[in-house]
Amino acid sequence: GILGIDIRPEKTTIMLADLEMHAVAQESIPTGADPDRFIKRLCDRVRDLRAAHRKLSFEGIGVALPGRIDLATNRLIFAPNLAWKGVDFKGPLEAATGLPVELENAANACALAEIWSGAHSESVRNLVTLTVSEGIGAGMILNGQLVRGSTGLAGEFGHVTAVEDGPLCRCGNRGCLEACASNTAAVRYFTEFESAQSGNKSAAKPTFESILKLADEGHQNACKALDRMGFYLGVGVAMIVTGLAPDVIVVVGEVTRAWNRVGPIITDVVA
């Protein structure tokens, strides 16, 4: 079997799959703010999951991270939404399990999954995945090859400026695409619309999940928040179309549940 670990700022998912990529078991743990404590807990959970499936022979562990990994050191070096830098996942996990560990940026992992086993695995050699979550990531397959750049930092379209002097991004710059088109941005838009409408600056902060649900029920400010998010996603997709001319762009993330609303906005902006 293969152990896959998907690390996000709030929650980390651990999945056990067979070699045909069929899920065998899955569980989640809070990611936590302290990387050392989190990695220790993660190692414990991985060991427990292996122990619960002793009949399976394990080939290795793949870790998808919301940031970029230095190819020379195998350390996480750029992950603004985690606020971690220089973190070693590979060493502790290999020591705890005795299994080989591969680290990959989450958007790159999505791009590889599409090429290896997705709907486009047979026919497409130029594909970009745009991952939309707490941040924005891009994974690029060009001429059939994953593009990482010489240091592993290629593909950070989420940190290209979309709005001059726009909202502050967690990377420290202003107006990044990520600050305008991510789930986090949609939550900020919704909160701003609600505050402007009610004058209440201390309203409880919603989640992106709750905004999706409200929009599905026709809530005006939730719909407006998703519309603005969709506009800036369109700006990002247009940039990728113009710069890379891929055959396919695959959007990945919770926002696709509102694709009937957001998809046409993206299409209009790109056109």
Side-chain angles (χ1 to χ4, degrees):
I2 298 288
L3 279 158
I5 301 172
D6 179 34
I7 296 175
R8 290 178 62 171
E10 298 294 329
K11 181 178 74 172
T12 291
T13 302
I14 307 166
M15 177 175 282
L16 172 60
D18 61 27
L19 294 182
E20 284 73 44
M21 301 188 194
H22 299 129
V24 175
Q26 178 177 318
E27 64 176 71
S28 297
I29 60 172
T31 298
D34 182 271
D36 294 330
R37 288 184 184 177
F38 168 69
I39 290 171
K40 184 179 184 303
R41 187 174 181 211
L42 179 62
C43 290
D44 290 342
R45 297 308 303 142
V46 168
R47 277 195 296 253
D48 291 346
L49 195 58
R50 287 185 71 191
H53 297 84
R54 293 185 185 277
K55 293 181 180 179
L56 283 176
S57 173
F58 291 87
E59 301 293 325
I61 299 173
V63 183
L65 293 155
R68 299 290 165 171
I69 294 95
D70 184 278
L71 298 179
T73 64
N74 272 309
R75 287 176 178 264
L76 182 70
I77 58 168
F78 181 75
N81 289 302
L82 281 175
W84 297 347
K85 194 171 183 180
V87 178
D88 179 18
F89 284 91
K90 183 179 175 72
L93 276 169
E94 288 187 339
T97 63
L99 295 171
V101 173
E102 293 292 336
L103 309 178
E104 189 53 88
N105 166 263
N108 285 355
C110 287
L112 289 170
E114 285 291 330
I115 288 293
W116 287 342
S117 60
H120 309 291
S121 58
E122 298 298 324
S123 57
V124 174
R125 288 178 54 79
N126 296 280
L127 175 146
V128 176
T129 53
L130 191 69
T131 54
V132 185
S133 58
E134 293 83 3
I136 299 281
M140 303 176 291
I141 305 282
L142 301 178
N143 294 326
Q145 298 291 318
L146 178 66
V147 178
R148 287 192 177 98
S150 59
T151 60
L153 287 171
E156 282 300 321
F157 287 99
H159 295 286
V160 173
T161 301
V163 178
E164 194 73 26
D165 296 322
L168 183 66
C169 181
R170 288 194 178 184
C171 75
N173 291 330
R174 286 194 171 273
C176 293
L177 179 65
E178 180 168 299
C180 301
S182 64
N183 296 1
T184 309
V187 170
R188 188 181 71 251
Y189 296 145
F190 178 82
T191 304
E192 289 171 355
F193 294 148
E194 288 284 285
S195 296
Q197 185 172 315
S198 66
N200 182 3
K201 299 291 184 183
S202 60
K205 188 176 181 180
T207 64
F208 187 67
E209 291 279 335
S210 68
I211 292 171
L212 287 173
K213 186 174 185 296
L214 286 169
D216 199 43
E217 295 167 356
H219 189 288
Q220 182 182 12
N221 287 335
C223 292
K224 284 171 60 181
L226 289 182
D227 289 352
R228 183 174 290 184
M229 177 189 187
F231 171 82
Y232 284 111
L233 282 173
V235 170
V237 170
M239 176 171 55
I240 292 169
V241 169
T242 305
L244 300 177
D247 304 317
V248 177
I249 296 176
V250 181
V251 179
V252 181
E254 292 89 351
V255 71
T256 57
R257 283 164 37 196
W259 197 250
N260 287 343
R261 178 171 204 93
V262 174
I265 297 172
I266 295 174
T267 301
D268 287 347
V269 175
V270 172

